[in-house]
Amino acid sequence: METFKIVHNRKNTRSVKWDLVKELFSSEDVLPMWVADMDFQAPEAVNQALMERAKHGIYGYTVIDSDVKDAIVNWNERRHNWKIKSDWLSFSPGVVTTLHMAIQALTEPEDSILIQTPVYTPFYKVIEAHNRKVIKNPLILEDNKYKIDFVDFEDKLKTGIKAFILCSPHNPVGRVWTKDELEEMARLCEKHDVLIFSDEIHGDLSFPNQHHIPIASISEEIAQRTVTFMAPSKTFNLAGLQASYAVTSNKELRDKLDKQLLNQGFHGLNIMGNTAIEAAYNYGEEWLDGLRAIIESNYYFVKEQLEKHSDLKVIQAEGTYLAWIDCSSLGLDSDGLKTFFSKEAKVGLNAGIDYGVEGKYFMRMNIACPHETLEEGVNRIIEAIHNR
């Protein structure tokens, strides 16, 4: 699709990704390929819906009506074969916000919460912010692909884990968990009476031949102990509109979560977030299918080029738009890697150490950009390695 070839100038738009380059990387000539938003415009249907809403010119209090909820319900059934009900939905500005609320509502201070490292940085911060204990189940890197250490997983659950935060698909390693893997995690959580907080914000972004399975869709028993966090923000590049939702079929858990949201002053979504969810889920499917093909193509371009022209290894991925790069061949520690990529390669990536000590020799690259931008970033890295 032609829309994914256009290079948009995002500077001076208050973009975190582009307008904080000098502040974060100490130089304005660094190419930002870090924070997880895309350099693509949202689907035209979404932009048109937002402009039509703006034409009305009145931005009063708004409700999340049945049209918005039905769009969410229908999307999950079409895309993920998951039949949910509209009254299972809770809304907030973002997945991390809702995760904060769930931890406060459904766990107690000093409770232990399990995560699979290396993993999305806010997981650590959310757990620690509310005086809960971080327990790690490190993933195993084998044959250039990550897998779950189920022996360690169960050993950790046996210690009295209250909740497990699942990242599915996994950020930053790019795994789309198989049905067998999900069923085994679910079985063990049920066996040891552990709640599942499932971050599935990248669920729509599996590669074309992969299929994301919501863990709560596996069985009614698992659904009863699961809170699933989702949003159109990663899927359609709508993070700035601050619209996300949680799916909880267990009424007791959902009531506690909703009460916590209300206690913190969250009463719904803003007008534009409301509008965008409905338009994206009703009319964004063709755009998304085109995007997924572009992301897969971008991923294999990065993998082939870096592995052909350097000793870097790009970990095998099945989804997300984030490439996880093994930089151990450079012989640098985590600080050295940050310096090399920002000062020498002039490419702004996420430091792997930020996802846990298991990522100290890795960097994360955002590949959701036009090929022209991607090629420039890859060439800068290759040239810098050759000039060392």
Side-chain angles (χ1 to χ4, degrees):
M1 297 173 69
E2 290 299 315
T3 187
F4 299 118
K5 297 179 181 179
I6 301 171
V7 178
H8 299 278
N9 181 5
R10 298 185 61 192
K11 294 181 179 179
N12 301 313
T13 62
R14 300 192 178 102
S15 164
V16 169
K17 185 177 185 180
W18 285 86
D19 289 329
L20 295 184
V21 165
K22 186 173 182 180
E23 179 179 336
L24 295 173
F25 300 105
S26 302
S27 176
E28 290 185 349
D29 58 354
V30 169
L31 181 65
M33 304 182 77
W34 61 291
V35 68
D37 74 8
M38 298 187 274
D39 291 328
F40 302 129
Q41 284 191 343
E44 183 60 21
V46 174
N47 293 330
Q48 287 296 327
L50 293 172
M51 287 188 283
E52 284 300 314
R53 184 62 188 82
K55 285 180 182 178
H56 187 258
I58 300 175
Y59 310 107
Y61 296 114
T62 188
V63 298
I64 305 171
D65 63 12
S66 60
D67 289 340
V68 175
K69 294 177 181 178
D70 287 348
I72 294 170
V73 169
N74 294 336
W75 178 264
N76 277 282
E77 184 169 2
R78 288 198 314 274
R79 300 298 295 194
H80 307 304
N81 195 31
W82 187 25
K83 295 183 179 181
I84 64 175
K85 296 180 180 180
S86 60
D87 61 4
W88 296 355
L89 300 172
S90 306
F91 295 87
S92 90
V95 162
V96 173
T97 299
T98 319
L99 185 55
H100 273 284
M101 300 300 108
I103 286 175
Q104 293 178 79
L106 304 175
T107 71
E108 299 293 335
E110 302 298 331
D111 277 349
S112 295
I113 299 178
L114 187 71
I115 56 176
Q116 294 174 312
T117 54
V119 75
Y120 184 48
T121 308
F123 285 7
Y124 298 91
K125 297 178 180 178
V126 169
I127 296 168
E128 293 167 347
H130 304 294
N131 196 28
R132 275 64 167 173
K133 298 176 183 176
V134 174
I135 306 297
K136 295 183 178 183
N137 168 228
L139 300 173
I140 299 171
L141 181 57
E142 188 175 278
D143 297 327
N144 205 44
K145 184 177 179 178
Y146 281 90
K147 67 178 187 179
I148 298 165
D149 184 342
F150 281 109
V151 173
D152 180 72
F153 187 85
E154 183 166 23
D155 284 345
K156 297 293 172 57
L157 295 188
K158 289 177 181 177
T159 65
I161 299 296
K162 177 65 176 182
F164 161 48
I165 305 179
L166 172 64
C167 197
S168 179
H170 193 283
N171 171 14
V173 310
R175 279 300 316 277
V176 174
W177 303 116
T178 66
K179 185 177 181 181
D180 287 345
E181 289 170 319
L182 291 167
E183 286 179 339
E184 182 62 5
M185 287 187 283
R187 183 186 71 82
L188 292 171
C189 286
E190 187 172 15
K191 177 181 177 181
H192 296 284
D193 193 23
V194 174
L195 295 173
I196 300 172
F197 299 154
S198 190
D199 176 358
E200 303 189 15
I201 197 169
H202 292 276
D204 296 317
L205 296 169
S206 59
F207 290 171
N209 291 324
Q210 299 290 329
H211 180 60
H212 169 70
I213 302 171
I215 194 168
S217 70
I218 290 175
S219 72
E220 176 59 26
E221 292 74 22
I222 297 308
Q224 285 298 304
R225 65 175 60 252
T226 301
V227 180
T228 304
F229 307 93
M230 308 181 97
S233 53
K234 291 289 185 284
T235 308
F236 299 104
N237 209 25
L238 305 175
L241 294 178
Q242 298 184 322
S244 82
Y245 57 95
V247 183
T248 317
S249 60
N250 183 315
K251 187 177 185 304
E252 181 181 356
L253 297 182
R254 186 174 67 253
D255 286 348
K256 289 180 179 179
L257 175 61
D258 288 343
K259 182 179 180 181
Q260 185 65 30
L261 284 163
L262 285 172
N263 286 346
Q264 296 297 322
F266 294 109
H267 301 286
L269 300 179
N270 68 70
I271 290 175
M272 293 309 188
N274 220 6
T275 301
I277 285 182
E278 182 182 9
Y281 282 162
N282 284 340
Y283 307 109
E285 210 148 359
E286 182 180 356
W287 181 94
L288 175 58
D289 288 337
L291 172 71
R292 292 168 68 213
I294 292 294
I295 290 171
E296 183 181 44
S297 175
N298 283 359
Y299 167 79
Y300 281 107
F301 173 80
V302 171
K303 183 174 178 63
E304 290 165 5
Q305 291 299 306
L306 290 183
E307 293 183 356
K308 179 179 180 181
H309 299 290
S310 77
D311 290 328
L312 302 183
K313 296 293 182 184
V314 180
I315 301 305
Q316 186 60 47
E318 298 144 345
T320 81
Y321 52 77
L322 306 164
W324 187 237
I325 305 171
D326 182 349
C327 305
S328 55
S329 63
L330 296 178
L332 300 171
D333 61 15
S334 56
D335 288 336
L337 287 175
K338 292 179 187 179
T339 299
F340 171 76
F341 281 95
S342 63
K343 304 294 186 184
E344 298 181 45
K346 298 292 184 180
V347 176
L349 306 182
N350 288 102
I353 190 67
D354 293 342
Y355 303 88
V357 66
E358 299 84 0
K360 63 183 177 180
Y361 298 123
F362 292 78
M363 299 294 283
R364 192 191 77 167
M365 173 186 277
N366 180 344
I367 60 173
C369 57
H371 186 81
E372 180 181 330
T373 304
L374 189 72
E375 188 171 11
E376 172 67 19
V378 169
N379 287 342
R380 287 188 185 194
I381 293 169
I382 292 171
E383 183 178 356
I385 291 173
H386 289 173
N387 290 337
R388 291 187 75 213

